[in-house]
Amino acid sequence: MKKGKIIFCSLLVMCTAWSGFAYSYDNLGYGVRATGMGAFVGLADDPSAIFYNPAGIAQLERPQLYLMYDKISKFTIGENENPYLLSGVGVYPLNDKLRFFLGGSQKGSLANPTNVVTNNVGIIGLAGWLAQDFSLGVNGKFLYNSNYGKKKGVDLDLGLFYRFSPKFSVGVALENLLATDMVPDNGDTLWSTSRFRGGRR
């Protein structure tokens, strides 16, 4: 128990130090429940957790599928644009402790022509219990800009989850550990940001 808390605190400090170095895609909100709550890192108990805290996937005990379509606001994007977000995740438990998952998302505009760079993400990952109430999750991501801002890259996300009790848990997630620069060469920075997340339930 004491060793688990020391590891968790050490990784929290490391994640905080890395939080300002990433340039990959922003997380605009995945999953109705997670988006509505506004804080999901410390709960992370459905398939959309791969976008918030992949360590939370360890809580899923059976195969699950998640699909979402979201019509994004035109605010700050342009009146002639028709922005959207598509995402999906499949989770499969390999055994009592380890979960495998595949997912992806696409953010862009249905307008033709469009000035919005389309961001595509493919995700493969694992989440598992390292101890009875402490889990770790890792996302491997393939990033691809389509339309006029074409660019490719890979990145990693790391998540930690600790369950103090059935009603209280904490989570920490660090997105884009490799700090892959996906800002289009034309300077369009729509969707691009760094992200460090922490939360509790």
Short mmCIF file of all heavy atoms in Angstrom, two decimals, residues 25-32 34-35 38-42 44-57 60 65-69 85-91 101-107 119-125 127 137-143 156-159 172-176 193-198:
data_model
loop_
_atom_site.label_atom_id
_atom_site.label_comp_id
_atom_site.label_asym_id
_atom_site.label_seq_id
_atom_site.Cartn_x
_atom_site.Cartn_y
_atom_site.Cartn_z
N TYR A 25 -3.01 16.91 -30.74
CA TYR A 25 -4.40 17.35 -30.81
C TYR A 25 -5.04 17.58 -29.44
O TYR A 25 -4.75 16.90 -28.47
CB TYR A 25 -5.23 16.32 -31.56
CG TYR A 25 -4.72 15.98 -32.92
CD1 TYR A 25 -4.75 14.67 -33.37
CD2 TYR A 25 -4.19 16.94 -33.76
CE1 TYR A 25 -4.30 14.33 -34.63
CE2 TYR A 25 -3.73 16.62 -35.02
CZ TYR A 25 -3.78 15.31 -35.44
OH TYR A 25 -3.33 14.98 -36.69
N ASP A 26 -5.95 18.52 -29.42
CA ASP A 26 -6.73 18.82 -28.23
C ASP A 26 -7.82 17.76 -28.05
O ASP A 26 -8.22 17.10 -28.99
CB ASP A 26 -7.37 20.21 -28.39
CG ASP A 26 -8.01 20.71 -27.11
OD1 ASP A 26 -7.83 20.07 -26.06
OD2 ASP A 26 -8.67 21.76 -27.17
N ASN A 27 -8.30 17.63 -26.82
CA ASN A 27 -9.43 16.77 -26.51
C ASN A 27 -10.64 17.67 -26.31
O ASN A 27 -10.75 18.35 -25.31
CB ASN A 27 -9.12 15.98 -25.23
CG ASN A 27 -10.23 15.03 -24.86
OD1 ASN A 27 -11.37 15.19 -25.28
ND2 ASN A 27 -9.90 14.04 -24.05
N LEU A 28 -11.55 17.70 -27.29
CA LEU A 28 -12.69 18.60 -27.23
C LEU A 28 -13.87 18.00 -26.50
O LEU A 28 -14.89 18.65 -26.33
CB LEU A 28 -13.12 18.99 -28.65
CG LEU A 28 -12.08 19.76 -29.45
CD1 LEU A 28 -12.63 20.09 -30.83
CD2 LEU A 28 -11.67 21.04 -28.73
N GLY A 29 -13.78 16.77 -26.06
CA GLY A 29 -14.87 16.12 -25.35
C GLY A 29 -15.33 14.87 -26.05
O GLY A 29 -15.86 14.92 -27.15
N TYR A 30 -15.13 13.73 -25.42
CA TYR A 30 -15.53 12.44 -25.97
C TYR A 30 -16.46 11.76 -24.98
O TYR A 30 -16.18 11.70 -23.80
CB TYR A 30 -14.31 11.54 -26.19
CG TYR A 30 -13.33 12.08 -27.19
CD1 TYR A 30 -12.30 12.93 -26.79
CD2 TYR A 30 -13.43 11.77 -28.54
CE1 TYR A 30 -11.39 13.43 -27.71
CE2 TYR A 30 -12.53 12.26 -29.46
CZ TYR A 30 -11.51 13.10 -29.03
OH TYR A 30 -10.61 13.59 -29.95
N GLY A 31 -17.57 11.25 -25.46
CA GLY A 31 -18.53 10.58 -24.60
C GLY A 31 -19.46 11.57 -23.94
O GLY A 31 -19.02 12.57 -23.36
N VAL A 32 -20.75 11.31 -24.01
CA VAL A 32 -21.74 12.22 -23.45
C VAL A 32 -21.57 12.37 -21.94
O VAL A 32 -21.59 13.47 -21.40
CB VAL A 32 -23.17 11.71 -23.77
CG1 VAL A 32 -24.22 12.55 -23.09
CG2 VAL A 32 -23.39 11.69 -25.27
N ALA A 34 -18.86 11.75 -19.99
CA ALA A 34 -17.61 12.41 -19.62
C ALA A 34 -17.65 13.90 -19.93
O ALA A 34 -17.22 14.73 -19.13
CB ALA A 34 -16.44 11.76 -20.36
N THR A 35 -18.20 14.27 -21.10
CA THR A 35 -18.28 15.68 -21.47
C THR A 35 -19.22 16.43 -20.54
O THR A 35 -18.94 17.55 -20.13
CB THR A 35 -18.76 15.82 -22.93
OG1 THR A 35 -17.89 15.07 -23.78
CG2 THR A 35 -18.76 17.26 -23.38
N GLY A 38 -17.58 17.08 -17.10
CA GLY A 38 -16.51 18.07 -17.11
C GLY A 38 -15.24 17.60 -16.44
O GLY A 38 -14.19 18.21 -16.59
N ALA A 39 -15.29 16.53 -15.69
CA ALA A 39 -14.10 15.96 -15.03
C ALA A 39 -14.29 14.45 -15.00
O ALA A 39 -15.21 13.95 -14.35
CB ALA A 39 -13.96 16.50 -13.61
N PHE A 40 -13.45 13.73 -15.72
CA PHE A 40 -13.66 12.29 -15.86
C PHE A 40 -12.40 11.49 -15.55
O PHE A 40 -12.45 10.27 -15.45
CB PHE A 40 -14.13 12.01 -17.30
CG PHE A 40 -14.73 10.65 -17.50
CD1 PHE A 40 -15.85 10.25 -16.80
CD2 PHE A 40 -14.18 9.78 -18.41
CE1 PHE A 40 -16.42 8.99 -17.00
CE2 PHE A 40 -14.73 8.52 -18.63
CZ PHE A 40 -15.86 8.13 -17.92
N VAL A 41 -11.28 12.15 -15.37
CA VAL A 41 -10.00 11.46 -15.19
C VAL A 41 -9.99 10.59 -13.95
O VAL A 41 -9.43 9.50 -13.94
CB VAL A 41 -8.84 12.49 -15.12
CG1 VAL A 41 -7.52 11.82 -14.85
CG2 VAL A 41 -8.76 13.26 -16.43
N GLY A 42 -10.62 11.04 -12.87
CA GLY A 42 -10.64 10.29 -11.63
C GLY A 42 -11.74 9.25 -11.55
O GLY A 42 -11.80 8.49 -10.59
N ALA A 44 -13.28 7.65 -14.97
CA ALA A 44 -12.78 6.90 -16.14
C ALA A 44 -13.25 5.46 -16.18
O ALA A 44 -12.45 4.54 -16.33
CB ALA A 44 -11.25 6.96 -16.16
N ASP A 45 -14.56 5.25 -16.11
CA ASP A 45 -15.08 3.88 -16.01
C ASP A 45 -15.94 3.46 -17.19
O ASP A 45 -16.81 2.60 -17.05
CB ASP A 45 -15.84 3.70 -14.69
CG ASP A 45 -17.06 4.62 -14.60
OD1 ASP A 45 -17.22 5.50 -15.47
OD2 ASP A 45 -17.85 4.46 -13.65
N ASP A 46 -15.73 4.07 -18.37
CA ASP A 46 -16.37 3.58 -19.59
C ASP A 46 -15.36 3.68 -20.74
O ASP A 46 -14.27 4.23 -20.54
CB ASP A 46 -17.69 4.31 -19.87
CG ASP A 46 -17.54 5.76 -20.28
OD1 ASP A 46 -16.55 6.12 -20.96
OD2 ASP A 46 -18.42 6.57 -19.92
N PRO A 47 -15.66 3.13 -21.92
CA PRO A 47 -14.65 3.09 -22.99
C PRO A 47 -14.09 4.44 -23.41
O PRO A 47 -12.96 4.52 -23.89
CB PRO A 47 -15.40 2.41 -24.14
CG PRO A 47 -16.41 1.55 -23.48
CD PRO A 47 -16.86 2.34 -22.28
N SER A 48 -14.84 5.53 -23.24
CA SER A 48 -14.32 6.85 -23.61
C SER A 48 -13.13 7.25 -22.74
O SER A 48 -12.46 8.24 -23.02
CB SER A 48 -15.42 7.91 -23.53
OG SER A 48 -15.81 8.16 -22.20
N ALA A 49 -12.85 6.48 -21.70
CA ALA A 49 -11.70 6.77 -20.83
C ALA A 49 -10.38 6.78 -21.59
O ALA A 49 -9.43 7.42 -21.13
CB ALA A 49 -11.62 5.74 -19.70
N ILE A 50 -10.29 6.12 -22.74
CA ILE A 50 -9.01 6.15 -23.47
C ILE A 50 -8.64 7.56 -23.90
O ILE A 50 -7.47 7.85 -24.12
CB ILE A 50 -8.96 5.19 -24.68
CG1 ILE A 50 -9.77 5.71 -25.86
CG2 ILE A 50 -9.38 3.79 -24.28
CD1 ILE A 50 -9.48 4.98 -27.15
N PHE A 51 -9.63 8.46 -24.01
CA PHE A 51 -9.36 9.84 -24.37
C PHE A 51 -9.08 10.73 -23.15
O PHE A 51 -8.68 11.88 -23.31
CB PHE A 51 -10.54 10.43 -25.15
CG PHE A 51 -10.85 9.68 -26.42
CD1 PHE A 51 -11.99 8.89 -26.51
CD2 PHE A 51 -10.01 9.76 -27.52
CE1 PHE A 51 -12.29 8.20 -27.68
CE2 PHE A 51 -10.29 9.08 -28.69
CZ PHE A 51 -11.44 8.29 -28.78
N TYR A 52 -9.32 10.21 -21.96
CA TYR A 52 -9.16 10.99 -20.72
C TYR A 52 -8.10 10.40 -19.81
O TYR A 52 -7.22 11.11 -19.32
CB TYR A 52 -10.49 11.06 -19.97
CG TYR A 52 -11.56 11.80 -20.72
CD1 TYR A 52 -12.45 11.12 -21.55
CD2 TYR A 52 -11.67 13.18 -20.62
CE1 TYR A 52 -13.42 11.80 -22.25
CE2 TYR A 52 -12.65 13.87 -21.32
CZ TYR A 52 -13.52 13.17 -22.14
OH TYR A 52 -14.48 13.85 -22.84
N ASN A 53 -8.22 9.12 -19.52
CA ASN A 53 -7.27 8.43 -18.64
C ASN A 53 -7.31 6.94 -18.97
O ASN A 53 -8.17 6.22 -18.48
CB ASN A 53 -7.62 8.65 -17.18
CG ASN A 53 -6.62 8.01 -16.24
OD1 ASN A 53 -5.67 7.38 -16.66
ND2 ASN A 53 -6.84 8.18 -14.94
N PRO A 54 -6.39 6.47 -19.81
CA PRO A 54 -6.44 5.06 -20.25
C PRO A 54 -6.35 4.06 -19.11
O PRO A 54 -6.80 2.92 -19.26
CB PRO A 54 -5.27 4.93 -21.21
CG PRO A 54 -4.37 6.09 -20.92
CD PRO A 54 -5.26 7.20 -20.42
N ALA A 55 -5.81 4.45 -17.97
CA ALA A 55 -5.72 3.53 -16.83
C ALA A 55 -7.09 3.12 -16.33
O ALA A 55 -7.26 2.03 -15.78
CB ALA A 55 -4.92 4.17 -15.70
N GLY A 56 -8.09 3.97 -16.52
CA GLY A 56 -9.44 3.66 -16.07
C GLY A 56 -10.06 2.49 -16.80
O GLY A 56 -10.98 1.85 -16.29
N ILE A 57 -9.56 2.16 -17.99
CA ILE A 57 -10.08 1.02 -18.76
C ILE A 57 -9.93 -0.28 -17.99
O ILE A 57 -10.69 -1.23 -18.20
CB ILE A 57 -9.36 0.94 -20.13
CG1 ILE A 57 -9.67 2.18 -20.98
CG2 ILE A 57 -9.72 -0.32 -20.89
CD1 ILE A 57 -11.09 2.27 -21.48
N LEU A 60 -13.05 -2.03 -16.60
CA LEU A 60 -14.06 -2.67 -17.44
C LEU A 60 -13.85 -4.18 -17.45
O LEU A 60 -12.81 -4.66 -17.86
CB LEU A 60 -14.01 -2.10 -18.85
CG LEU A 60 -14.12 -0.57 -18.95
CD1 LEU A 60 -14.11 -0.13 -20.40
CD2 LEU A 60 -15.34 -0.05 -18.23
N LEU A 65 -18.20 -1.55 -26.46
CA LEU A 65 -18.04 -0.77 -27.67
C LEU A 65 -18.65 0.61 -27.45
O LEU A 65 -19.73 0.74 -26.86
CB LEU A 65 -18.74 -1.47 -28.84
CG LEU A 65 -18.68 -0.77 -30.20
CD1 LEU A 65 -17.24 -0.73 -30.72
CD2 LEU A 65 -19.59 -1.47 -31.19
N TYR A 66 -17.96 1.63 -27.92
CA TYR A 66 -18.43 3.02 -27.78
C TYR A 66 -18.32 3.70 -29.15
O TYR A 66 -17.30 3.57 -29.83
CB TYR A 66 -17.57 3.73 -26.74
CG TYR A 66 -17.31 5.20 -26.98
CD1 TYR A 66 -18.14 6.17 -26.45
CD2 TYR A 66 -16.20 5.62 -27.71
CE1 TYR A 66 -17.89 7.52 -26.66
CE2 TYR A 66 -15.95 6.96 -27.93
CZ TYR A 66 -16.80 7.91 -27.41
OH TYR A 66 -16.55 9.23 -27.63
N LEU A 67 -19.36 4.42 -29.57
CA LEU A 67 -19.36 5.19 -30.81
C LEU A 67 -20.00 6.54 -30.55
O LEU A 67 -20.97 6.63 -29.78
CB LEU A 67 -20.15 4.47 -31.91
CG LEU A 67 -19.64 3.10 -32.34
CD1 LEU A 67 -20.66 2.40 -33.21
CD2 LEU A 67 -18.32 3.24 -33.07
N MET A 68 -19.46 7.61 -31.17
CA MET A 68 -20.02 8.93 -30.95
C MET A 68 -19.87 9.81 -32.19
O MET A 68 -18.85 9.75 -32.88
CB MET A 68 -19.32 9.61 -29.78
CG MET A 68 -19.96 10.94 -29.39
SD MET A 68 -19.04 11.81 -28.10
CE MET A 68 -18.01 12.86 -29.10
N TYR A 69 -20.90 10.60 -32.45
CA TYR A 69 -20.84 11.67 -33.45
C TYR A 69 -21.25 12.95 -32.76
O TYR A 69 -22.26 12.99 -32.05
CB TYR A 69 -21.77 11.40 -34.63
CG TYR A 69 -21.94 12.61 -35.53
CD1 TYR A 69 -20.95 12.95 -36.45
CD2 TYR A 69 -23.05 13.43 -35.42
CE1 TYR A 69 -21.08 14.07 -37.26
CE2 TYR A 69 -23.20 14.55 -36.22
CZ TYR A 69 -22.20 14.87 -37.14
OH TYR A 69 -22.33 15.98 -37.92
N LEU A 85 -17.10 15.89 -34.87
CA LEU A 85 -16.19 14.99 -34.19
C LEU A 85 -16.78 13.58 -34.23
O LEU A 85 -17.93 13.37 -33.85
CB LEU A 85 -16.00 15.42 -32.73
CG LEU A 85 -15.29 14.44 -31.79
CD1 LEU A 85 -13.86 14.20 -32.23
CD2 LEU A 85 -15.33 14.95 -30.36
N LEU A 86 -16.01 12.63 -34.75
CA LEU A 86 -16.38 11.22 -34.74
C LEU A 86 -15.40 10.48 -33.84
O LEU A 86 -14.20 10.77 -33.84
CB LEU A 86 -16.26 10.61 -36.14
CG LEU A 86 -17.23 11.05 -37.22
CD1 LEU A 86 -16.79 10.49 -38.57
CD2 LEU A 86 -18.63 10.59 -36.89
N SER A 87 -15.89 9.52 -33.06
CA SER A 87 -14.97 8.72 -32.25
C SER A 87 -15.57 7.35 -31.97
O SER A 87 -16.78 7.18 -31.99
CB SER A 87 -14.62 9.43 -30.93
OG SER A 87 -15.78 9.70 -30.18
N GLY A 88 -14.70 6.40 -31.72
CA GLY A 88 -15.13 5.05 -31.40
C GLY A 88 -14.05 4.29 -30.67
O GLY A 88 -12.86 4.55 -30.84
N VAL A 89 -14.47 3.36 -29.81
CA VAL A 89 -13.54 2.57 -29.00
C VAL A 89 -14.11 1.16 -28.82
O VAL A 89 -15.31 1.00 -28.60
CB VAL A 89 -13.33 3.18 -27.59
CG1 VAL A 89 -12.36 2.33 -26.78
CG2 VAL A 89 -12.84 4.61 -27.67
N GLY A 90 -13.25 0.17 -28.90
CA GLY A 90 -13.59 -1.19 -28.54
C GLY A 90 -12.64 -1.68 -27.46
O GLY A 90 -11.43 -1.48 -27.57
N VAL A 91 -13.19 -2.28 -26.40
CA VAL A 91 -12.39 -2.76 -25.27
C VAL A 91 -12.61 -4.26 -25.13
O VAL A 91 -13.74 -4.74 -25.17
CB VAL A 91 -12.79 -2.06 -23.96
CG1 VAL A 91 -11.98 -2.60 -22.78
CG2 VAL A 91 -12.63 -0.56 -24.07
N PHE A 101 -7.39 -2.44 -25.94
CA PHE A 101 -8.38 -1.59 -26.58
C PHE A 101 -7.85 -0.98 -27.86
O PHE A 101 -6.66 -0.76 -28.05
CB PHE A 101 -8.88 -0.49 -25.63
CG PHE A 101 -7.81 0.32 -24.97
CD1 PHE A 101 -7.26 1.44 -25.56
CD2 PHE A 101 -7.34 -0.04 -23.71
CE1 PHE A 101 -6.29 2.19 -24.94
CE2 PHE A 101 -6.36 0.70 -23.07
CZ PHE A 101 -5.83 1.83 -23.68
N LEU A 102 -8.79 -0.72 -28.77
CA LEU A 102 -8.55 -0.03 -30.04
C LEU A 102 -9.55 1.12 -30.13
O LEU A 102 -10.70 0.97 -29.72
CB LEU A 102 -8.78 -0.97 -31.23
CG LEU A 102 -7.78 -2.07 -31.49
CD1 LEU A 102 -8.30 -3.00 -32.57
CD2 LEU A 102 -6.44 -1.49 -31.90
N GLY A 103 -9.10 2.23 -30.68
CA GLY A 103 -10.01 3.35 -30.81
C GLY A 103 -9.53 4.33 -31.85
O GLY A 103 -8.46 4.17 -32.44
N GLY A 104 -10.32 5.35 -32.05
CA GLY A 104 -9.92 6.38 -32.99
C GLY A 104 -10.89 7.54 -32.97
O GLY A 104 -11.97 7.46 -32.40
N SER A 105 -10.45 8.62 -33.58
CA SER A 105 -11.31 9.79 -33.69
C SER A 105 -10.94 10.58 -34.94
O SER A 105 -9.85 10.45 -35.49
CB SER A 105 -11.18 10.69 -32.45
OG SER A 105 -9.92 11.31 -32.41
N GLN A 106 -11.89 11.39 -35.37
CA GLN A 106 -11.65 12.30 -36.49
C GLN A 106 -12.37 13.61 -36.18
O GLN A 106 -13.54 13.62 -35.83
CB GLN A 106 -12.18 11.72 -37.80
CG GLN A 106 -11.91 12.62 -39.00
CD GLN A 106 -12.43 12.02 -40.29
OE1 GLN A 106 -13.64 11.95 -40.48
NE2 GLN A 106 -11.52 11.60 -41.16
N LYS A 107 -11.62 14.72 -36.29
CA LYS A 107 -12.18 16.05 -36.11
C LYS A 107 -11.95 16.83 -37.39
O LYS A 107 -10.83 16.87 -37.90
CB LYS A 107 -11.51 16.77 -34.95
CG LYS A 107 -11.84 16.21 -33.59
CD LYS A 107 -11.11 16.91 -32.48
CE LYS A 107 -9.76 16.25 -32.28
NZ LYS A 107 -9.10 16.65 -31.04
N ASN A 119 -8.15 16.30 -38.33
CA ASN A 119 -7.25 15.55 -37.45
C ASN A 119 -7.77 14.13 -37.28
O ASN A 119 -8.90 13.92 -36.85
CB ASN A 119 -7.17 16.20 -36.07
CG ASN A 119 -6.64 17.62 -36.11
OD1 ASN A 119 -6.95 18.41 -35.24
ND2 ASN A 119 -5.85 17.97 -37.10
N ASN A 120 -6.94 13.15 -37.64
CA ASN A 120 -7.30 11.73 -37.50
C ASN A 120 -6.37 11.09 -36.48
O ASN A 120 -5.16 11.31 -36.51
CB ASN A 120 -7.13 11.03 -38.85
CG ASN A 120 -7.90 11.73 -39.96
OD1 ASN A 120 -9.10 11.58 -40.07
ND2 ASN A 120 -7.21 12.53 -40.76
N VAL A 121 -6.95 10.28 -35.59
CA VAL A 121 -6.16 9.60 -34.55
C VAL A 121 -6.56 8.14 -34.51
O VAL A 121 -7.75 7.82 -34.40
CB VAL A 121 -6.40 10.22 -33.15
CG1 VAL A 121 -5.52 9.54 -32.12
CG2 VAL A 121 -6.18 11.71 -33.15
N GLY A 122 -5.58 7.25 -34.59
CA GLY A 122 -5.79 5.83 -34.36
C GLY A 122 -5.10 5.45 -33.06
O GLY A 122 -3.96 5.85 -32.84
N ILE A 123 -5.78 4.71 -32.21
CA ILE A 123 -5.25 4.40 -30.87
C ILE A 123 -5.25 2.89 -30.63
O ILE A 123 -6.21 2.20 -30.95
CB ILE A 123 -6.08 5.08 -29.77
CG1 ILE A 123 -6.04 6.59 -29.94
CG2 ILE A 123 -5.59 4.69 -28.38
CD1 ILE A 123 -6.96 7.34 -28.99
N ILE A 124 -4.15 2.40 -30.08
CA ILE A 124 -4.06 1.02 -29.60
C ILE A 124 -3.44 1.09 -28.21
O ILE A 124 -2.54 1.89 -27.98
CB ILE A 124 -3.23 0.13 -30.55
CG1 ILE A 124 -3.24 -1.32 -30.08
CG2 ILE A 124 -1.81 0.66 -30.71
CD1 ILE A 124 -2.67 -2.29 -31.09
N GLY A 125 -3.96 0.29 -27.28
CA GLY A 125 -3.42 0.41 -25.93
C GLY A 125 -3.73 -0.75 -25.03
O GLY A 125 -4.48 -1.66 -25.37
N ALA A 127 -4.36 -1.52 -20.63
CA ALA A 127 -4.56 -1.03 -19.27
C ALA A 127 -4.63 -2.24 -18.35
O ALA A 127 -5.18 -3.28 -18.73
CB ALA A 127 -5.83 -0.21 -19.16
N GLY A 137 -2.34 2.68 -17.54
CA GLY A 137 -2.80 2.53 -18.92
C GLY A 137 -1.92 3.30 -19.87
O GLY A 137 -1.41 4.37 -19.53
N VAL A 138 -1.71 2.75 -21.07
CA VAL A 138 -0.87 3.38 -22.08
C VAL A 138 -1.59 3.35 -23.42
O VAL A 138 -2.11 2.31 -23.83
CB VAL A 138 0.49 2.66 -22.21
CG1 VAL A 138 1.34 3.32 -23.28
CG2 VAL A 138 1.23 2.65 -20.88
N ASN A 139 -1.63 4.51 -24.09
CA ASN A 139 -2.14 4.63 -25.45
C ASN A 139 -0.97 4.82 -26.41
O ASN A 139 -0.13 5.69 -26.18
CB ASN A 139 -3.02 5.89 -25.63
CG ASN A 139 -4.36 5.78 -24.98
OD1 ASN A 139 -4.80 4.71 -24.60
ND2 ASN A 139 -5.03 6.92 -24.85
N GLY A 140 -0.93 4.06 -27.48
CA GLY A 140 -0.06 4.37 -28.60
C GLY A 140 -0.92 5.00 -29.68
O GLY A 140 -1.99 4.46 -30.01
N LYS A 141 -0.52 6.15 -30.22
CA LYS A 141 -1.38 6.89 -31.14
C LYS A 141 -0.68 7.16 -32.47
O LYS A 141 0.49 7.54 -32.49
CB LYS A 141 -1.79 8.24 -30.54
CG LYS A 141 -2.50 8.11 -29.21
CD LYS A 141 -3.13 9.42 -28.75
CE LYS A 141 -2.11 10.49 -28.49
NZ LYS A 141 -2.71 11.71 -27.91
N PHE A 142 -1.42 6.96 -33.55
CA PHE A 142 -0.98 7.38 -34.87
C PHE A 142 -1.79 8.63 -35.22
O PHE A 142 -3.02 8.60 -35.23
CB PHE A 142 -1.20 6.29 -35.92
CG PHE A 142 -0.89 6.75 -37.32
CD1 PHE A 142 0.42 6.99 -37.71
CD2 PHE A 142 -1.91 6.96 -38.23
CE1 PHE A 142 0.72 7.43 -38.99
CE2 PHE A 142 -1.64 7.40 -39.52
CZ PHE A 142 -0.32 7.63 -39.89
N LEU A 143 -1.12 9.73 -35.51
CA LEU A 143 -1.75 11.01 -35.78
C LEU A 143 -1.57 11.37 -37.26
O LEU A 143 -0.48 11.20 -37.80
CB LEU A 143 -1.13 12.12 -34.92
CG LEU A 143 -0.97 11.81 -33.43
CD1 LEU A 143 -0.14 12.87 -32.74
CD2 LEU A 143 -2.33 11.67 -32.77
N LEU A 156 2.31 9.08 -27.47
CA LEU A 156 1.92 8.19 -26.38
C LEU A 156 1.17 8.97 -25.31
O LEU A 156 1.47 10.13 -25.05
CB LEU A 156 3.16 7.57 -25.73
CG LEU A 156 3.99 6.60 -26.55
CD1 LEU A 156 5.29 6.28 -25.81
CD2 LEU A 156 3.22 5.32 -26.84
N ASP A 157 0.20 8.31 -24.68
CA ASP A 157 -0.48 8.84 -23.50
C ASP A 157 -0.24 7.86 -22.36
O ASP A 157 -0.18 6.64 -22.57
CB ASP A 157 -1.99 8.95 -23.71
CG ASP A 157 -2.37 9.92 -24.81
OD1 ASP A 157 -1.55 10.79 -25.15
OD2 ASP A 157 -3.51 9.82 -25.31
N LEU A 158 -0.14 8.38 -21.15
CA LEU A 158 0.04 7.56 -19.95
C LEU A 158 -1.02 7.95 -18.94
O LEU A 158 -1.28 9.14 -18.72
CB LEU A 158 1.43 7.80 -19.35
CG LEU A 158 1.71 7.12 -18.00
CD1 LEU A 158 1.77 5.61 -18.17
CD2 LEU A 158 3.02 7.65 -17.41
N GLY A 159 -1.65 6.95 -18.34
CA GLY A 159 -2.65 7.23 -17.31
C GLY A 159 -2.41 6.40 -16.07
O GLY A 159 -1.91 5.27 -16.14
N VAL A 172 -4.64 10.43 -12.86
CA VAL A 172 -3.73 11.38 -13.48
C VAL A 172 -3.46 10.87 -14.89
O VAL A 172 -3.26 9.68 -15.10
CB VAL A 172 -2.40 11.48 -12.71
CG1 VAL A 172 -1.42 12.37 -13.43
CG2 VAL A 172 -2.62 11.98 -11.30
N ALA A 173 -3.48 11.77 -15.86
CA ALA A 173 -3.18 11.39 -17.24
C ALA A 173 -2.27 12.42 -17.87
O ALA A 173 -2.46 13.62 -17.67
CB ALA A 173 -4.47 11.26 -18.04
N LEU A 174 -1.32 11.93 -18.62
CA LEU A 174 -0.44 12.81 -19.38
C LEU A 174 -0.58 12.43 -20.85
O LEU A 174 -0.31 11.29 -21.23
CB LEU A 174 1.01 12.64 -18.94
CG LEU A 174 2.01 13.51 -19.70
CD1 LEU A 174 1.77 14.98 -19.42
CD2 LEU A 174 3.42 13.13 -19.34
N GLU A 175 -1.03 13.38 -21.65
CA GLU A 175 -1.22 13.14 -23.07
C GLU A 175 -0.02 13.65 -23.86
O GLU A 175 0.61 14.63 -23.49
CB GLU A 175 -2.49 13.84 -23.56
CG GLU A 175 -3.75 13.29 -22.92
CD GLU A 175 -5.00 13.99 -23.40
OE1 GLU A 175 -4.89 15.04 -24.05
OE2 GLU A 175 -6.08 13.48 -23.11
N ASN A 176 0.29 12.95 -24.93
CA ASN A 176 1.33 13.38 -25.88
C ASN A 176 2.72 13.46 -25.25
O ASN A 176 3.39 14.48 -25.30
CB ASN A 176 0.93 14.71 -26.52
CG ASN A 176 -0.48 14.70 -27.04
OD1 ASN A 176 -0.90 13.74 -27.69
ND2 ASN A 176 -1.25 15.72 -26.74
N THR A 193 -3.00 21.66 -28.92
CA THR A 193 -2.69 22.11 -27.57
C THR A 193 -1.94 21.02 -26.82
O THR A 193 -1.84 19.90 -27.25
CB THR A 193 -3.97 22.47 -26.81
OG1 THR A 193 -3.64 23.13 -25.58
CG2 THR A 193 -4.81 21.26 -26.48
N SER A 194 -1.42 21.36 -25.65
CA SER A 194 -0.85 20.36 -24.75
C SER A 194 -1.90 20.05 -23.69
O SER A 194 -2.83 20.81 -23.48
CB SER A 194 0.42 20.89 -24.09
OG SER A 194 0.11 22.02 -23.32
N ARG A 195 -1.73 18.95 -22.98
CA ARG A 195 -2.74 18.59 -21.99
C ARG A 195 -2.16 17.74 -20.88
O ARG A 195 -1.54 16.73 -21.10
CB ARG A 195 -3.86 17.82 -22.69
CG ARG A 195 -5.02 17.48 -21.80
CD ARG A 195 -5.90 18.67 -21.52
NE ARG A 195 -6.59 19.05 -22.72
CZ ARG A 195 -7.66 19.83 -22.73
NH1 ARG A 195 -8.13 20.32 -21.62
NH2 ARG A 195 -8.23 20.14 -23.87
N PHE A 196 -2.39 18.18 -19.66
CA PHE A 196 -2.14 17.38 -18.47
C PHE A 196 -3.46 17.32 -17.72
O PHE A 196 -4.13 18.35 -17.57
CB PHE A 196 -1.05 18.03 -17.59
CG PHE A 196 -1.01 17.45 -16.20
CD1 PHE A 196 -0.48 16.19 -15.99
CD2 PHE A 196 -1.54 18.14 -15.13
CE1 PHE A 196 -0.45 15.65 -14.72
CE2 PHE A 196 -1.51 17.61 -13.85
CZ PHE A 196 -0.96 16.38 -13.66
N ARG A 197 -3.84 16.17 -17.26
CA ARG A 197 -5.13 16.04 -16.61
C ARG A 197 -4.97 15.38 -15.23
O ARG A 197 -4.19 14.46 -15.06
CB ARG A 197 -6.08 15.16 -17.43
CG ARG A 197 -6.38 15.69 -18.81
CD ARG A 197 -7.28 14.70 -19.55
NE ARG A 197 -7.51 15.12 -20.91
CZ ARG A 197 -8.47 15.97 -21.26
NH1 ARG A 197 -9.24 16.50 -20.37
NH2 ARG A 197 -8.63 16.30 -22.53
N GLY A 198 -5.74 15.83 -14.30
CA GLY A 198 -5.82 15.21 -12.99
C GLY A 198 -7.26 15.28 -12.52
O GLY A 198 -8.00 16.18 -12.90
#
